[in-house]
């Protein structure tokens, strides 16, 4: 954008998509906040989102190369509703990954960064699809168990982050007409 217009965008979005990958393996370095803090210090808006990856099965080994995980409900046995049930493998993964993100959020907060926070985005899937094999199917695991589970995931994350002392986020929800049907 800068090369074409001489101006930077007002908003830059950073993704926690690789937060599950161990440090020092060539993926995103979540310990280095410099790109985010420099953006904020320049007076620009920071946006954060999370393509929240989960293991493909309970017994899948999550590789240090980022393998063994997905966001797609068709590629995992991870159930969003079970992420809300204490003691399940899904709940253990859910809470551990939220803690990793919370650690980064707290460091951003300590650095004075306020951010737009867009978790569990586009849960309804393709909002313009009206028919076919994928009609009514969620794109991501967090939307696959329906609206009530989705709402509880949001509430759980919000409460968890609040309990950690995180207060530098402006929570953003991606609106959609479910399958294009406003009713």
């Amino acid at each position: 954008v800068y090369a074409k217009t001489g101006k930077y965008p007002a908003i830059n979005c950073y993704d926690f998509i690789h937060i599950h990958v161990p440090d020092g393996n060539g993926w995103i370095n979540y310990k280095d906040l410099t790109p985010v803090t420099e953006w904020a210090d320049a007076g620009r808006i920071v946006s954060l989102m999370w393509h929240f990856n989960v293991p493909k099965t309970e017994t899948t080994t999550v590789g240090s190369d980022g393998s063994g995980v997905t966001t797609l409900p068709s590629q995992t046995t991870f159930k969003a509703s079970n992420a809300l049930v204490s003691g399940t493998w899904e709940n253990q993964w859910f809470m551990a990954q939220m803690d990793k993100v919370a650690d980064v959020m707290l460091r951003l907060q300590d650095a004075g960064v306020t951010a737009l926070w867009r978790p569990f985005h586009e849960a309804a899937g393709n909002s313009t699809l009206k028919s076919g094999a994928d009609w009514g199917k969620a794109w991501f695991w967090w939307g696959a168990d329906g609206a009530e589970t989705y709402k509880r995931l949001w509430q759980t994350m919000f409460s968890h982050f609040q309990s950690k002392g995180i207060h530098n986020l402006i929570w953003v929800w991606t609106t959609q007409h479910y399958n294009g049907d406003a009713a």
Side-chain angles (χ1 to χ4, degrees), residues 84 123-124 142-155 178:
L84 300 164
W142 51 85
D145 282 351
E148 289 308 312
T149 297
Y150 177 72
K151 289 177 201 175
R152 288 185 52 222
L153 289 169
W154 259 81
Q155 292 163 345
Y178 188 71

Side-chain angles (χ1 to χ4, degrees), residues 21-29:
V21 179
D23 294 331
N25 57 22
W27 291 82
I28 298 169
N29 180 359

